[in-house]
Amino acid sequence: MPDTRTAPAGLSRSAIACRIAEDIPEGWYVNLGIGIPTLVADYVPPEREVVFHSENGVLGIGPAPSPDSVDPWLINAGKEPVTLRAGGAFVHHADSFAIIRGGHLDLCVLGAFEVAENGDLANWTTGRNDAAAAVGGAMDLAAGAKRLWVAMEHTTKEGAPRLVSRCSFPLTAPACVLRVYTNLAVIDVTPEGFLLLETAPGVSFEAVQERTATRLHRPQTAGSR
Amino acid sequence: MPDTRTAPAGLSRSAIACRIAEDIPEGWYVNLGIGIPTLVADYVPPEREVVFHSENGVLGIGPAPSPDSVDPWLINAGKEPVTLRAGGAFVHHADSFAIIRGGHLDLCVLGAFEVAENGDLANWTTGRNDAAAAVGGAMDLAAGAKRLWVAMEHTTKEGAPRLVSRCSFPLTAPACVLRVYTNLAVIDVTPEGFLLLETAPGVSFEAVQERTATRLHRPQTAGSR
Amino acid sequence: MIDKRVASMAEAMAGIRDGSVVLLGGFGDVGQPDALIEGLIAQGASNLTVVANNAGRGRTGLARLMELGRVRRIVCSFPRSRGSVVFEELYSAGRIELEIVPQGTLAERIRAAGAGVAAFFTPTAVGTRLAENKEQRSFNGRHYVLEHALPGDVALIEAWRADRFGNLTYRESARNFNPVMAMAARLTIVQAQHLVELGTLDPEAIVTPGIFVSRVLHVPYAQAKE
Amino acid sequence: MIDKRVASMAEAMAGIRDGSVVLLGGFGDVGQPDALIEGLIAQGASNLTVVANNAGRGRTGLARLMELGRVRRIVCSFPRSRGSVVFEELYSAGRIELEIVPQGTLAERIRAAGAGVAAFFTPTAVGTRLAENKEQRSFNGRHYVLEHALPGDVALIEAWRADRFGNLTYRESARNFNPVMAMAARLTIVQAQHLVELGTLDPEAIVTPGIFVSRVLHVPYAQAKE
């Protein structure tokens, strides 16, 4: 029986971002949430053209500026200074969310507190009674993007699973997550529930299952072994 | 008894347009419909700054170009070549009608088939069963502008009144007209019905009343005479 | 490399299916994607629904497409204008369906489709026969009618300048319906007067960002208006 | 001569009444009309409803307006961010009302007000607690929630360039909520970094046409960000 008290380290936050970047093909329009998702842009090689969108009306976000070339008028949705790539464009907030709500983003990558096996996402507040929780653009992105991937640690700092049968926190949107990238694994949300696609180096299926609060399925090919 | 068979000539189409132009103060944003309304712009002196809007996304329309300087990309809603004044701007169709529907135009001047004493406007089709009638932007303008004035001949060519108790033609919008300028008179639409403000030179109140299918009221001061 | 430029009309028109809803930019002749309409005629798709402000004029372009029997239905604000002879003939003969939509409602329904809004309440047409049999409701004492999003399968767009990302600018009043239609279709095909290098369009002055654009065909002015 | 330029802050703020709904442009500090907010603090109007993306930070600007007890209610998407100490204090003490609105719904509700649309159906927030007690409906098998227009009595706007007609351009991501808020208020007051001669702004690149603007105050950068 594996030792569940010692969590496998798995991937670092940067390594999760790097893993996600591998799966983003050239030509996609992508919105990256705050946290691990923001790091993803750094791992898309510059010769692979991906257009990054930010809620505050920027299309074509480039890497962070050097400290001495910060333009205070150009920030991303996390309110950090950014740059604009050639081919970028500015739009106002209603047009920016027309892009989001209208289904024009190929992908949105968000962080999460919890993801349920039916794709429910909880990522904006941990308290049902916290009426002042800040939602920002999370609900618009979750409802609007063509694909929603989540990037997060597999468990809380206390070791509680974040992949669950049903979210305990207030939802951001129901049945919206397609895939979850964690420090331990890459997992698809399917009609049958969570499908484990791969594990981080040195992490077993069983280690991932033990840190997941609902059943993980294996691909059909694995199941026939 | 006046001779109702001989219609008083009253104002020409240009003179109606000129009369309307007198009442447009500097600073108004104005949309002019096809027909007599289009002529109004020519009678606003250039030093009185009025911004003319056209449904196809032009703000700041200037006078018609000379035949040798026509720009085929710059037309008004009547599809005639126009020019753009300094301070003009182009917007797309959704924004252009946001301007209209959102109540941002100080004035719209339209032609009409009929105006009813409650302000109902009929100006887009004369046949209830003509399902292919062309509405264009008339309904949006009638519903959206802050003020709607009508410019038209007082009667049809056959002498039938166009100012009526109730429109016989399909409505463009209910209770939207504030004022009517005709070849014979200037008439306000009030809660009590049509109020005659002035008559064209040589035209009597009685001559206007006889060519109007409902009661014309006189201003209080006139009524005390 | 993201490159939405296509080399031929055939490539621009590839995949347009019978039964498609086609959004056609333009207000009268201005901003109308003439070359793409010719391309659509040659491409062959039929049983089309065309959404456009006008119903064509003369015997070329949209009028020709209709005359060939390829348009089952047209959604527009102003079908009956000078020279709309083909439409008049077909409509009188009961060979084309027509939906009349007030011009601003047409623009807003298309924008709604592009913006992910399913339906909206507008004051336009309340109390008229164009609101008959439609849901109505009062807000703050004023009446409104419910209108639905109008998405396209294909949008044919005329632009002035385009880059390889599909970023677009328009020329003067040729802008009209083009930017809203570009947002509202699954396949947005652009004819552009000028192709420019990436990075030469001012990011503050791009009217349609490339995210809304699928393909760009270079059609210089003389060719478009021949 | 149309001239929306005003010479003083007092003139810019004239007529803002107690109880007004004030739309505040900006996303975080960028595109926020800092000088006009200071002007509003000095002007004295109270019992305000503020519509803004954020609920202020530090002890200046919007935070100061709130701390002075002048804001009865705030409508925003992201109240609780780093440094929103004044909001936190007031909210915990029950001294300010809050309406949380998803960011895109907030932008669209403001645009709807400017565009004469009374209400619209959006998919955002369906199935969440922010849609509880709101009307919902299915269109083409998908669920939507009805959201209402959000007009302002006053909009405070930051622009980059302005002319005497009130035509505006913005700088980069400072555009954000400013153009939609400019459309949606009865009194739209602009602080502009640069005043330019009429005719020097490119009519193809004007983002907010002057029809939406009431007053323009020249506030050069150094003054705005001091």
Side-chain angles (χ1 to χ4, degrees):
Chain A
M1 193 174 176
D3 180 2
T4 60
R5 288 162 302 178
T6 310
L11 303 181
S12 66
R13 288 162 57 89
S14 295
I16 298 171
C18 182
R19 177 62 195 81
I20 293 170
E22 281 178 27
D23 289 348
I24 300 177
E26 181 158 85
W28 275 17
Y29 292 84
V30 179
N31 183 296
L32 299 175
I34 294 169
I36 298 173
T38 301
L39 305 175
V40 170
D42 297 338
Y43 295 96
V44 175
E47 67 277 11
R48 193 200 307 160
E49 288 185 338
V50 171
V51 180
F52 293 104
H53 166 267
S54 185
E55 293 95 298
N56 56 326
V58 190
L59 273 160
I61 284 184
S66 62
D68 58 346
S69 65
V70 166
D71 175 350
W73 303 85
L74 183 49
I75 61 169
N76 63 13
K79 297 177 181 120
E80 303 157 326
V82 293
T83 53
L84 191 77
R85 289 187 195 274
F90 298 107
V91 298
H92 62 53
H93 243 85
D95 281 349
S96 183
F97 280 83
I99 287 172
I100 293 170
R101 200 188 307 102
H104 303 284
L105 292 173
D106 295 293
L107 172 66
C108 177
V109 187
L110 293 176
F113 299 134
E114 291 175 329
V115 176
E117 60 191 341
N118 68 346
D120 285 0
L121 171 68
N123 83 340
W124 70 291
T125 175
T126 54
R128 172 144 279 277
N129 299 318
D130 178 11
V135 68
M139 287 187 181
D140 307 279
L141 286 160
K146 281 182 200 158
R147 293 173 191 83
L148 181 62
W149 294 350
V150 162
M152 65 179 187
E153 301 289 335
H154 205 89
T155 61
T156 65
K157 279 173 195 155
E158 295 73 28
R162 294 174 182 275
L163 288 137
V164 294
S165 57
R166 190 182 165 133
C167 291
S168 62
F169 297 139
L171 293 192
T172 306
C176 58
V177 178
L178 287 186
R179 186 177 284 179
V180 183
Y181 294 81
T182 76
N183 52 318
L184 301 185
V186 181
I187 293 163
D188 264 1
V189 176
T190 74
E192 287 73 42
F194 288 131
L195 177 69
L196 186 133
L197 299 181
E198 67 182 55
T199 56
V203 176
S204 67
F205 174 87
E206 289 71 21
V208 181
Q209 177 65 77
E210 281 159 13
R211 287 161 185 83
T212 302
T214 186
R215 189 179 160 204
L216 286 181
H217 297 269
R218 303 199 205 206
Q220 291 298 321
T221 50
S224 66
R225 260 188 261 171
Chain B
M1 190 173 177
D3 180 0
T4 59
R5 289 162 301 180
T6 311
L11 304 180
S12 66
R13 288 164 55 88
S14 295
I16 298 170
C18 183
R19 178 62 194 82
I20 293 170
E22 282 177 25
D23 289 347
I24 300 177
E26 180 159 84
W28 275 17
Y29 291 84
V30 179
N31 182 295
L32 299 174
I34 293 169
I36 298 172
T38 301
L39 305 175
V40 170
D42 297 338
Y43 296 97
V44 175
E47 68 276 12
R48 193 200 306 160
E49 289 185 338
V50 171
V51 180
F52 292 104
H53 166 266
S54 185
E55 293 94 300
N56 56 327
V58 190
L59 272 160
I61 283 183
S66 63
D68 59 346
S69 65
V70 167
D71 175 349
W73 303 86
L74 183 48
I75 62 170
N76 63 15
K79 298 178 181 118
E80 303 157 326
V82 293
T83 52
L84 191 78
R85 291 186 194 274
F90 298 107
V91 297
H92 63 53
H93 242 84
D95 281 349
S96 182
F97 280 83
I99 287 172
I100 293 170
R101 199 188 308 103
H104 303 284
L105 292 172
D106 295 293
L107 172 67
C108 176
V109 187
L110 294 176
F113 299 133
E114 291 176 330
V115 176
E117 61 191 341
N118 67 345
D120 285 0
L121 171 68
N123 83 340
W124 70 290
T125 175
T126 55
R128 171 144 281 276
N129 299 316
D130 179 9
V135 68
M139 287 186 181
D140 307 279
L141 286 161
K146 280 181 200 159
R147 294 172 190 83
L148 181 61
W149 295 350
V150 161
M152 65 179 185
E153 301 289 335
H154 205 87
T155 62
T156 67
K157 280 172 194 157
E158 294 73 31
R162 295 175 182 274
L163 289 136
V164 295
S165 57
R166 190 182 165 134
C167 291
S168 62
F169 297 138
L171 294 192
T172 306
C176 57
V177 178
L178 287 186
R179 185 177 285 179
V180 184
Y181 294 81
T182 77
N183 51 318
L184 302 186
V186 180
I187 293 162
D188 263 1
V189 176
T190 73
E192 288 72 42
F194 288 131
L195 176 70
L196 188 132
L197 298 180
E198 67 181 55
T199 56
V203 176
S204 68
F205 174 87
E206 289 72 21
V208 181
Q209 177 64 78
E210 280 158 14
R211 287 161 186 83
T212 302
T214 186
R215 188 179 162 202
L216 285 180
H217 297 269
R218 302 198 205 207
Q220 292 296 324
T221 50
S224 65
R225 261 189 261 173
Chain C
M1 192 169 96
I2 297 174
D3 193 353
K4 298 180 180 176
R5 294 170 298 182
V6 292
S8 70
M9 182 61 81
E11 205 179 330
M13 293 291 127
I16 301 181
R17 294 190 204 158
D18 292 354
S20 292
V21 175
V22 181
L23 312 180
L24 274 191
F27 182 84
D29 296 340
V30 176
Q32 188 172 262
D34 295 337
L36 297 182
I37 297 170
E38 295 303 320
L40 181 59
I41 291 170
Q43 190 260 5
S46 65
N47 194 29
L48 301 172
T49 293
V50 168
V51 179
N53 191 61
N54 305 98
R57 63 189 193 89
R59 303 253 166 206
T60 59
L62 173 55
R64 179 73 183 144
L65 189 70
M66 291 191 293
E67 193 167 32
L68 291 168
R70 306 260 295 280
V71 180
R72 183 177 64 78
R73 183 161 181 271
I74 186 158
V75 181
C76 69
S77 87
F78 210 80
R80 189 164 284 175
S81 46
R82 245 174 314 172
S84 62
V85 287
V86 171
F87 167 77
E88 299 274 353
E89 290 163 12
L90 290 171
Y91 187 75
S92 302
R95 289 174 51 212
I96 194 164
E97 293 172 38
L98 172 70
E99 180 181 349
I100 297 277
V101 183
Q103 199 170 129
T105 301
L106 185 63
E108 190 69 9
R109 288 179 61 193
I110 297 165
R111 180 200 175 268
V117 167
F120 57 91
F121 283 98
T122 174
T124 299
V126 167
T128 78
R129 77 176 198 216
L130 294 189
E132 283 169 13
N133 305 318
K134 291 187 176 175
E135 180 176 337
Q136 296 189 31
R137 194 184 293 196
S138 282
F139 297 91
N140 298 317
R142 194 169 180 204
H143 296 286
Y144 293 81
V145 57
L146 185 67
E147 293 283 356
H148 295 253
L150 179 53
D153 297 301
V154 181
L156 303 185
I157 300 301
E158 198 222 39
W160 188 244
R161 288 193 179 84
D163 64 26
R164 65 179 171 84
F165 276 19
N167 292 308
L168 307 179
T169 64
Y170 303 89
R171 181 166 168 177
E172 298 174 328
S173 68
R175 187 181 299 201
N176 57 61
F177 279 94
N178 284 299
V180 276
M181 288 181 168
M183 294 169 68
R186 285 188 293 112
L187 177 65
T188 292
I189 307 168
V190 176
Q191 69 168 75
Q193 300 284 351
H194 302 287
L195 291 186
V196 300
E197 283 297 305
L198 196 74
T200 58
L201 295 177
D202 178 357
E204 305 277 10
I206 288 169
V207 176
T208 295
I211 190 168
F212 296 129
V213 171
S214 313
R215 300 173 188 161
V216 176
L217 183 68
H218 187 208
V219 180
Y221 178 79
Q223 190 179 335
K225 292 285 178 193
E226 71 190 355
Chain D
M1 191 170 97
I2 297 173
D3 193 352
K4 299 180 180 174
R5 294 171 297 183
V6 293
S8 69
M9 181 61 82
E11 205 180 330
M13 292 292 126
I16 301 180
R17 293 189 205 159
D18 291 354
S20 293
V21 175
V22 181
L23 312 180
L24 275 192
F27 182 85
D29 296 341
V30 176
Q32 187 173 264
D34 296 334
L36 297 182
I37 296 171
E38 295 302 319
L40 181 60
I41 291 171
Q43 191 261 2
S46 66
N47 195 27
L48 301 172
T49 293
V50 168
V51 179
N53 190 61
N54 304 97
R57 64 188 191 90
R59 302 253 165 206
T60 60
L62 174 55
R64 179 73 184 144
L65 189 70
M66 292 190 293
E67 193 167 32
L68 290 168
R70 306 259 296 278
V71 180
R72 182 178 65 79
R73 185 162 179 268
I74 186 158
V75 181
C76 70
S77 87
F78 210 81
R80 189 164 285 174
S81 47
R82 243 174 316 173
S84 61
V85 285
V86 171
F87 167 78
E88 299 274 353
E89 289 163 11
L90 291 170
Y91 188 75
S92 302
R95 288 175 51 213
I96 194 164
E97 293 172 37
L98 172 70
E99 181 181 349
I100 296 279
V101 183
Q103 198 171 129
T105 300
L106 185 64
E108 190 69 10
R109 287 179 62 192
I110 297 166
R111 179 200 175 268
V117 166
F120 58 91
F121 284 98
T122 174
T124 299
V126 167
T128 78
R129 78 177 197 214
L130 294 189
E132 283 168 14
N133 304 317
K134 292 188 177 177
E135 180 176 336
Q136 296 191 31
R137 194 183 293 195
S138 281
F139 296 91
N140 298 316
R142 193 169 181 203
H143 295 286
Y144 293 81
V145 58
L146 185 67
E147 291 283 357
H148 294 253
L150 180 53
D153 297 301
V154 181
L156 304 185
I157 299 301
E158 198 224 39
W160 188 244
R161 289 193 179 83
D163 63 25
R164 66 178 170 85
F165 276 19
N167 292 308
L168 307 179
T169 63
Y170 303 89
R171 180 165 170 179
E172 300 175 326
S173 67
R175 186 180 302 201
N176 59 61
F177 279 93
N178 284 298
V180 277
M181 288 180 168
M183 296 170 66
R186 287 187 292 111
L187 177 65
T188 292
I189 307 167
V190 176
Q191 71 169 73
Q193 300 284 349
H194 302 286
L195 290 186
V196 300
E197 283 298 305
L198 196 74
T200 57
L201 295 178
D202 178 359
E204 305 277 9
I206 288 169
V207 177
T208 294
I211 191 168
F212 296 128
V213 171
S214 313
R215 300 172 189 162
V216 176
L217 181 68
H218 186 207
V219 181
Y221 178 80
Q223 191 178 335
K225 293 287 179 190
E226 70 190 356

